[in-house]
Short mmCIF file of all heavy atoms in Angstrom, two decimals:
data_model
loop_
_atom_site.label_atom_id
_atom_site.label_comp_id
_atom_site.label_asym_id
_atom_site.label_seq_id
_atom_site.Cartn_x
_atom_site.Cartn_y
_atom_site.Cartn_z
N ILE A 128 -12.07 16.86 -8.59
CA ILE A 128 -12.75 15.92 -9.48
C ILE A 128 -13.61 16.67 -10.50
O ILE A 128 -13.69 16.28 -11.67
CB ILE A 128 -13.61 14.95 -8.65
CG1 ILE A 128 -12.69 13.97 -7.89
CG2 ILE A 128 -14.57 14.16 -9.52
CD1 ILE A 128 -13.43 13.03 -6.98
N GLY A 131 -11.18 17.91 -13.08
CA GLY A 131 -10.58 16.79 -13.80
C GLY A 131 -11.55 16.12 -14.76
O GLY A 131 -11.17 15.73 -15.87
N GLU A 132 -12.81 15.97 -14.37
CA GLU A 132 -13.78 15.33 -15.26
C GLU A 132 -14.11 16.21 -16.45
O GLU A 132 -14.38 15.70 -17.55
CB GLU A 132 -15.05 14.99 -14.47
CG GLU A 132 -14.85 13.82 -13.51
CD GLU A 132 -16.10 13.51 -12.72
OE1 GLU A 132 -16.99 14.39 -12.65
OE2 GLU A 132 -16.19 12.40 -12.17
N TYR A 135 -11.29 15.70 -18.79
CA TYR A 135 -11.33 14.38 -19.41
C TYR A 135 -12.20 14.38 -20.67
O TYR A 135 -11.96 13.59 -21.60
CB TYR A 135 -11.86 13.37 -18.40
CG TYR A 135 -11.96 11.97 -18.95
CD1 TYR A 135 -10.85 11.15 -19.03
CD2 TYR A 135 -13.19 11.47 -19.40
CE1 TYR A 135 -10.94 9.86 -19.54
CE2 TYR A 135 -13.29 10.18 -19.91
CZ TYR A 135 -12.16 9.39 -19.98
OH TYR A 135 -12.25 8.12 -20.49
N CYS A 150 -5.39 11.73 -16.56
CA CYS A 150 -6.01 10.46 -16.19
C CYS A 150 -5.47 9.95 -14.85
O CYS A 150 -6.25 9.48 -13.99
CB CYS A 150 -5.77 9.42 -17.28
SG CYS A 150 -6.71 9.72 -18.79
N PHE A 151 -4.16 10.04 -14.66
CA PHE A 151 -3.59 9.58 -13.39
C PHE A 151 -4.11 10.42 -12.21
O PHE A 151 -4.35 9.88 -11.12
CB PHE A 151 -2.07 9.64 -13.44
CG PHE A 151 -1.44 8.43 -14.07
CD1 PHE A 151 -0.54 8.55 -15.12
CD2 PHE A 151 -1.75 7.16 -13.61
CE1 PHE A 151 0.04 7.44 -15.70
CE2 PHE A 151 -1.18 6.03 -14.18
CZ PHE A 151 -0.29 6.17 -15.24
N LEU A 152 -4.27 11.71 -12.43
CA LEU A 152 -4.82 12.56 -11.37
C LEU A 152 -6.24 12.14 -11.02
O LEU A 152 -6.60 12.02 -9.84
CB LEU A 152 -4.79 14.03 -11.81
CG LEU A 152 -5.45 15.03 -10.84
CD1 LEU A 152 -4.71 15.03 -9.50
CD2 LEU A 152 -5.45 16.43 -11.44
N LEU A 153 -7.05 11.88 -12.04
CA LEU A 153 -8.43 11.46 -11.78
C LEU A 153 -8.48 10.09 -11.10
O LEU A 153 -9.31 9.86 -10.21
CB LEU A 153 -9.21 11.43 -13.10
CG LEU A 153 -10.02 12.67 -13.45
CD1 LEU A 153 -10.71 12.50 -14.78
CD2 LEU A 153 -11.03 12.99 -12.36
N VAL A 154 -7.61 9.18 -11.52
CA VAL A 154 -7.57 7.85 -10.89
C VAL A 154 -7.24 7.97 -9.41
O VAL A 154 -7.88 7.33 -8.55
CB VAL A 154 -6.56 6.95 -11.61
CG1 VAL A 154 -6.29 5.69 -10.80
CG2 VAL A 154 -7.06 6.57 -12.99
N ASP A 155 -6.24 8.80 -9.11
CA ASP A 155 -5.87 9.00 -7.71
C ASP A 155 -7.03 9.58 -6.91
O ASP A 155 -7.32 9.16 -5.78
CB ASP A 155 -4.65 9.91 -7.63
CG ASP A 155 -3.79 9.63 -6.40
OD1 ASP A 155 -4.24 8.82 -5.56
OD2 ASP A 155 -2.70 10.20 -6.29
N LEU A 156 -7.72 10.54 -7.50
CA LEU A 156 -8.85 11.17 -6.81
C LEU A 156 -9.99 10.17 -6.59
O LEU A 156 -10.62 10.16 -5.53
CB LEU A 156 -9.35 12.37 -7.61
CG LEU A 156 -8.44 13.60 -7.60
CD1 LEU A 156 -8.86 14.60 -8.66
CD2 LEU A 156 -8.45 14.26 -6.21
N TYR A 157 -10.26 9.35 -7.60
CA TYR A 157 -11.33 8.36 -7.45
C TYR A 157 -11.00 7.34 -6.36
O TYR A 157 -11.89 6.92 -5.61
CB TYR A 157 -11.56 7.63 -8.78
CG TYR A 157 -12.31 8.45 -9.80
CD1 TYR A 157 -12.03 8.34 -11.16
CD2 TYR A 157 -13.31 9.33 -9.42
CE1 TYR A 157 -12.72 9.08 -12.10
CE2 TYR A 157 -14.01 10.09 -10.34
CZ TYR A 157 -13.71 9.96 -11.69
OH TYR A 157 -14.39 10.70 -12.61
N LEU A 158 -9.74 6.94 -6.26
CA LEU A 158 -9.36 6.00 -5.22
C LEU A 158 -9.41 6.64 -3.83
O LEU A 158 -9.78 6.00 -2.85
CB LEU A 158 -7.97 5.43 -5.50
CG LEU A 158 -7.87 4.51 -6.72
CD1 LEU A 158 -6.42 4.07 -6.93
CD2 LEU A 158 -8.75 3.28 -6.54
N LEU A 159 -9.04 7.90 -3.75
CA LEU A 159 -9.10 8.60 -2.47
C LEU A 159 -10.53 8.79 -1.99
O LEU A 159 -10.79 8.87 -0.79
CB LEU A 159 -8.41 9.96 -2.57
CG LEU A 159 -6.88 9.93 -2.74
CD1 LEU A 159 -6.36 11.33 -2.98
CD2 LEU A 159 -6.22 9.32 -1.54
N THR A 160 -11.46 8.87 -2.94
CA THR A 160 -12.87 9.04 -2.59
C THR A 160 -13.65 7.73 -2.72
O THR A 160 -14.87 7.74 -2.81
CB THR A 160 -13.51 10.10 -3.49
OG1 THR A 160 -13.27 9.78 -4.87
CG2 THR A 160 -12.93 11.47 -3.20
N PHE A 161 -12.93 6.60 -2.77
CA PHE A 161 -13.53 5.26 -2.76
C PHE A 161 -14.51 5.07 -3.91
O PHE A 161 -15.66 4.67 -3.71
CB PHE A 161 -14.21 5.00 -1.41
CG PHE A 161 -13.27 4.96 -0.26
CD1 PHE A 161 -13.03 6.10 0.50
CD2 PHE A 161 -12.59 3.81 0.07
CE1 PHE A 161 -12.15 6.08 1.56
CE2 PHE A 161 -11.71 3.77 1.13
CZ PHE A 161 -11.48 4.91 1.87
N GLN A 162 -14.05 5.35 -5.11
CA GLN A 162 -14.81 5.06 -6.32
C GLN A 162 -13.97 4.17 -7.23
O GLN A 162 -13.50 4.60 -8.28
CB GLN A 162 -15.19 6.36 -7.03
CG GLN A 162 -16.00 7.32 -6.19
CD GLN A 162 -16.38 8.58 -6.95
OE1 GLN A 162 -17.22 8.57 -7.83
NE2 GLN A 162 -15.73 9.67 -6.61
N PRO A 163 -13.74 2.92 -6.82
CA PRO A 163 -12.81 2.08 -7.58
C PRO A 163 -13.31 1.72 -8.97
O PRO A 163 -12.50 1.50 -9.87
CB PRO A 163 -12.68 0.82 -6.69
CG PRO A 163 -13.92 0.79 -5.88
CD PRO A 163 -14.29 2.23 -5.65
N GLU A 164 -14.63 1.65 -9.19
CA GLU A 164 -15.13 1.30 -10.52
C GLU A 164 -14.76 2.36 -11.54
O GLU A 164 -14.31 2.06 -12.66
CB GLU A 164 -16.66 1.12 -10.47
CG GLU A 164 -17.12 -0.10 -9.69
CD GLU A 164 -17.26 0.20 -8.21
OE1 GLU A 164 -16.93 1.33 -7.80
OE2 GLU A 164 -17.69 -0.71 -7.47
N LYS A 165 -14.93 3.62 -11.17
CA LYS A 165 -14.53 4.71 -12.07
C LYS A 165 -13.02 4.70 -12.30
O LYS A 165 -12.55 4.98 -13.41
CB LYS A 165 -14.96 6.05 -11.49
CG LYS A 165 -16.45 6.31 -11.55
CD LYS A 165 -16.76 7.73 -11.10
CE LYS A 165 -18.24 8.05 -11.26
NZ LYS A 165 -18.55 9.45 -10.89
N ALA A 166 -12.27 4.40 -11.25
CA ALA A 166 -10.82 4.35 -11.39
C ALA A 166 -10.40 3.25 -12.37
O ALA A 166 -9.52 3.45 -13.21
CB ALA A 166 -10.16 4.14 -10.03
N LEU A 167 -11.04 2.09 -12.31
CA LEU A 167 -10.70 1.00 -13.22
C LEU A 167 -11.05 1.36 -14.66
O LEU A 167 -10.33 0.97 -15.59
CB LEU A 167 -11.44 -0.28 -12.80
CG LEU A 167 -10.92 -0.97 -11.53
CD1 LEU A 167 -11.83 -2.12 -11.15
CD2 LEU A 167 -9.50 -1.47 -11.75
N HIS A 168 -12.13 2.07 -14.87
CA HIS A 168 -12.47 2.51 -16.23
C HIS A 168 -11.39 3.43 -16.80
O HIS A 168 -10.97 3.29 -17.95
CB HIS A 168 -13.82 3.22 -16.21
CG HIS A 168 -14.16 3.88 -17.51
ND1 HIS A 168 -14.51 3.17 -18.63
CD2 HIS A 168 -14.20 5.20 -17.87
CE1 HIS A 168 -14.76 4.00 -19.64
NE2 HIS A 168 -14.58 5.24 -19.18
N LEU A 169 -10.91 4.36 -15.97
CA LEU A 169 -9.85 5.25 -16.43
C LEU A 169 -8.54 4.51 -16.64
O LEU A 169 -7.76 4.84 -17.55
CB LEU A 169 -9.65 6.38 -15.42
CG LEU A 169 -10.57 7.60 -15.56
CD1 LEU A 169 -10.25 8.61 -14.49
CD2 LEU A 169 -10.42 8.23 -16.92
N ARG A 220 -4.81 -1.25 -5.89
CA ARG A 220 -5.53 -0.44 -4.91
C ARG A 220 -7.03 -0.46 -5.16
O ARG A 220 -7.84 -0.54 -4.21
CB ARG A 220 -5.01 0.99 -4.94
CG ARG A 220 -3.60 1.18 -4.41
CD ARG A 220 -3.12 2.61 -4.56
NE ARG A 220 -4.02 3.54 -3.90
CZ ARG A 220 -3.90 4.87 -3.99
NH1 ARG A 220 -2.93 5.40 -4.73
NH2 ARG A 220 -4.74 5.66 -3.36
N GLN A 224 -9.99 -2.11 -2.66
CA GLN A 224 -11.18 -1.41 -2.20
C GLN A 224 -12.45 -2.17 -2.54
O GLN A 224 -13.42 -2.15 -1.78
CB GLN A 224 -11.24 0.00 -2.81
CG GLN A 224 -10.24 0.96 -2.24
CD GLN A 224 -10.45 2.38 -2.73
OE1 GLN A 224 -11.43 2.67 -3.42
NE2 GLN A 224 -9.55 3.28 -2.37
N SER A 494 -16.38 12.26 -3.28
CA SER A 494 -16.60 12.51 -4.69
C SER A 494 -17.81 13.40 -4.83
O SER A 494 -18.68 13.37 -4.00
CB SER A 494 -16.85 11.22 -5.45
OG SER A 494 -18.11 10.74 -5.12
N SER A 495 -17.84 14.18 -5.91
CA SER A 495 -19.05 14.96 -6.15
C SER A 495 -20.15 14.01 -6.55
O SER A 495 -19.95 12.83 -6.74
CB SER A 495 -18.80 15.98 -7.25
OG SER A 495 -18.37 15.33 -8.42
N ASN A 498 -21.93 12.02 -11.85
CA ASN A 498 -22.45 12.47 -13.13
C ASN A 498 -22.01 11.57 -14.26
O ASN A 498 -22.33 11.84 -15.42
CB ASN A 498 -22.00 13.92 -13.41
CG ASN A 498 -20.54 14.11 -13.10
OD1 ASN A 498 -19.78 13.14 -13.04
ND2 ASN A 498 -20.14 15.34 -12.91
N ASP A 499 -21.28 10.49 -13.93
CA ASP A 499 -20.95 9.44 -14.89
C ASP A 499 -20.35 10.02 -16.17
O ASP A 499 -20.74 9.69 -17.29
CB ASP A 499 -22.19 8.61 -15.24
CG ASP A 499 -22.68 7.83 -14.04
OD1 ASP A 499 -21.85 7.47 -13.20
OD2 ASP A 499 -23.88 7.60 -13.96
N ILE A 500 -19.40 10.92 -16.02
CA ILE A 500 -18.78 11.50 -17.21
C ILE A 500 -17.86 10.50 -17.87
O ILE A 500 -17.83 10.38 -19.09
CB ILE A 500 -18.03 12.79 -16.80
CG1 ILE A 500 -19.05 13.86 -16.45
CG2 ILE A 500 -17.10 13.26 -17.89
CD1 ILE A 500 -18.46 15.16 -16.05
N CYS A 501 -17.10 9.80 -17.05
CA CYS A 501 -16.13 8.87 -17.62
C CYS A 501 -16.82 7.66 -18.23
O CYS A 501 -16.39 7.16 -19.26
CB CYS A 501 -15.15 8.43 -16.54
SG CYS A 501 -14.16 9.77 -15.90
N SER A 502 -17.86 7.16 -17.61
CA SER A 502 -18.56 6.00 -18.13
C SER A 502 -19.98 6.01 -17.61
O SER A 502 -20.20 6.07 -16.41
CB SER A 502 -17.86 4.71 -17.70
OG SER A 502 -18.60 3.59 -18.10
N GLU A 507 -22.66 3.50 -8.86
CA GLU A 507 -22.24 3.04 -7.54
C GLU A 507 -23.38 3.22 -6.54
O GLU A 507 -23.28 3.94 -5.57
CB GLU A 507 -20.99 3.79 -7.08
CG GLU A 507 -19.79 3.54 -7.94
CD GLU A 507 -18.62 4.39 -7.49
OE1 GLU A 507 -18.51 5.51 -7.96
OE2 GLU A 507 -17.82 3.92 -6.67
#
Side-chain angles (χ1 to χ4, degrees):
I128 289 176
E132 288 179 342
Y135 179 81
C150 289
F151 276 126
L152 175 62
L153 265 179
V154 168
D155 209 352
L156 288 167
Y157 284 146
L158 291 177
L159 291 174
T160 53
F161 295 94
Q162 302 181 73
E164 291 86 357
K165 287 187 175 183
L167 287 174
H168 172 72
L169 275 180
R220 290 176 57 187
Q224 288 188 6
S494 72
S495 58
N498 46 19
D499 294 330
I500 289 180
C501 297
S502 174
E507 295 176 272

